[in-house]
């Protein structure tokens, strides 16, 4: 009955630990969003987003979804990325009209060894899944492979989100309403610049407008740093000149005090 007239029922979860030495913060989305049991709109969710203390939102197993709605918006997981439920969940909530917020812990989130989340931080070749082998071939390092895979996933997630907003729900929200969600995803996207290699060539997939904005931002930053450096250099020269003058004065006064 809670699905009647809504696209999503959003419920809560328990953490269940198979790995005793690992303890997460045990804070769920419901702990952060703190809605009362009710039917909410995507705008309610968006407005509460910035107050949660985290810069992402994901949704997959923590609720029920209208299958008809999934088909009508062609919602899907991005293939071969990590945290695929971020783009999926964000796009899902943005596309909804109404969401039932159900503050009941109906799901057990199991923390176990050898999961894709790699909670025990395993560092062996068996962790690398087949689709990541071409990344590993470039880096020849497990940790670099994982790190790049995460960074490239952020790029693909951001691109998917931008494409969905532009093509599937155009004009549904103003840019001002979406800026917090979009800015967080765009900010994470630029982690890819920390890598000298780009096996998946995701940098080429970033929209040109974002690239231009980043280039102009860096250009302005470098100009400001150069200006600051020039000012500091001039200040240093002046201080040095003052030091030399005082040093000469010190010699003059010392000489006259001794032999004056």
């Amino acid at each position: 009955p809670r699905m009647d007239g809504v696209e999503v029922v959003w419920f809560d979860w328990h953490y269940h630990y198979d790995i005793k030495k690992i303890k997460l913060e045990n804070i769920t989305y419901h702990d952060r969003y703190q809605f009362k049991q009710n039917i909410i709109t995507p705008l309610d969710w968006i407005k509460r987003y910035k107050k949660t203390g985290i810069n992402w939102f994901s949704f997959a197993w923590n609720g029920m979804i209208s299958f008809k709605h999934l088909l009508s918006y062609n919602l899907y997981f991005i293939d071969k990325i990590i945290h695929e439920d971020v783009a999926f969940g964000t796009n899902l909530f943005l596309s909804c009209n109404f969401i039932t917020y159900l503050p009941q812990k109906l799901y057990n989130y199991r923390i176990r060894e050898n999961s894709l989340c790699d909670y025990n931080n395993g560092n062996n070749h068996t962790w690398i899944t087949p689709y990541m082998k071409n990344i590993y071939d470039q880096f020849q390092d497990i940790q670099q492979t994982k790190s790049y895979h995460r960074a490239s996933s952020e790029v693909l997630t951001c691109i998917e989100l931008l494409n969905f907003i532009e093509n599937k729900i155009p004009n549904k929200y103003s840019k001002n309403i979406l800026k917090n969600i979009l800015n967080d995803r765009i900010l994470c996207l630029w982690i890819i610049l920390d890598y000298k290699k780009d096996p998946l060539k995701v940098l080429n997939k970033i929209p040109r407008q974002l690239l231009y904005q980043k280039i102009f931002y860096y250009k302005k930053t470098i100009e400001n740093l150069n200006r600051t450096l020039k000012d500091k250099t001039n200040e240093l020269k002046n201080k040095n000149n003052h030091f030399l003058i005082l040093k000469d004065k010190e010699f003059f006064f010392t000489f006259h005090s001794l032999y004056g």
Side-chain angles (χ1 to χ4, degrees), residues 228-245:
T228 301
L229 183 61
K230 185 177 180 181
D231 292 341
K232 291 294 183 183
T233 301
N234 289 334
E235 182 182 352
L236 186 61
K237 287 180 179 178
N238 289 335
K239 296 294 184 185
N240 188 55
N241 289 336
H242 293 168
F243 170 74
L244 292 174
I245 291 171

Side-chain angles (χ1 to χ4, degrees), residues 3 6-13 29-30 33 40 45 54 56-66 69-70 75-78 83-96 98-102 107 109:
M3 288 298 296
V6 305
E7 289 80 27
V8 170
V9 173
W10 178 16
F11 51 69
D12 205 1
W13 72 83
Y29 281 144
H30 280 236
Y33 280 85
I40 64 172
W45 162 69
I54 52 175
W56 71 89
F57 179 79
S58 62
F59 190 95
W61 39 261
N62 44 329
M64 295 184 292
I65 308 169
S66 163
H69 185 75
L70 290 178
L75 287 161
Y76 59 89
F77 293 126
I78 306 171
H83 303 316
E84 66 282 357
D85 50 356
V86 172
F88 175 83
T90 305
N91 289 339
L92 171 65
F93 271 45
L94 289 176
S95 64
C96 285
F98 298 103
I99 301 157
T100 294
Y101 183 87
L102 181 62
Y107 187 91
Y109 188 98

Side-chain angles (χ1 to χ4, degrees), residues 109-138:
Y109 188 98
R110 184 181 174 204
I111 310 300
R112 64 177 181 83
E113 292 184 353
N114 300 319
S115 71
L116 285 178
C117 293
D118 196 29
Y119 285 115
N120 59 334
N121 197 29
N123 186 16
N124 55 70
H125 288 64
T126 60
W127 188 88
I128 296 298
T129 55
Y131 73 80
M132 292 171 63
K133 186 178 182 304
N134 60 328
I135 301 175
Y136 179 77
D137 289 343
Q138 290 283 325

Side-chain angles (χ1 to χ4, degrees), residues 197-232:
K197 298 178 182 179
D198 184 16
L200 301 181
K201 303 188 185 307
V202 294
L203 194 59
N204 296 336
K205 300 176 182 179
I206 298 176
R208 287 185 177 275
Q209 184 178 359
L210 287 183
L211 289 172
Y212 293 150
Q213 289 174 358
K214 196 64 173 177
I215 290 169
F216 288 136
Y217 167 77
Y218 278 136
K219 183 175 182 293
K220 194 70 175 177
T221 301
I222 291 170
E223 288 174 352
N224 290 336
L225 286 172
N226 283 334
R227 191 177 299 112
T228 301
L229 183 61
K230 185 177 180 181
D231 292 341
K232 291 294 183 183

Side-chain angles (χ1 to χ4, degrees), residues 134-219:
N134 60 328
I135 301 175
Y136 179 77
D137 289 343
Q138 290 283 325
F139 289 102
Q140 293 295 309
D141 180 89
I142 295 289
Q143 294 303 323
Q144 277 288 301
T145 299
K146 290 182 183 180
S147 180
Y148 171 82
H149 180 233
R150 186 179 299 275
S152 61
S153 295
E154 289 285 6
V155 175
L156 297 174
T157 294
C158 182
I159 292 172
E160 175 65 23
L161 178 58
L162 292 171
N163 287 339
F164 186 86
I165 291 171
E166 181 179 354
N167 299 315
K168 297 292 183 66
I169 52 170
N171 307 317
K172 184 176 181 180
Y173 306 98
S174 68
K175 289 184 178 180
N176 189 54
I177 290 291
L178 294 176
K179 68 179 181 180
N180 287 333
I181 292 174
L182 289 179
N183 287 348
D184 282 339
R185 299 278 50 84
I186 292 170
L187 185 63
C188 291
L189 170 154
W190 297 117
I191 299 172
I192 197 66
L193 295 176
D194 293 336
Y195 298 86
K196 294 181 179 179
K197 298 178 182 179
D198 184 16
L200 301 181
K201 303 188 185 307
V202 294
L203 194 59
N204 296 336
K205 300 176 182 179
I206 298 176
R208 287 185 177 275
Q209 184 178 359
L210 287 183
L211 289 172
Y212 293 150
Q213 289 174 358
K214 196 64 173 177
I215 290 169
F216 288 136
Y217 167 77
Y218 278 136
K219 183 175 182 293

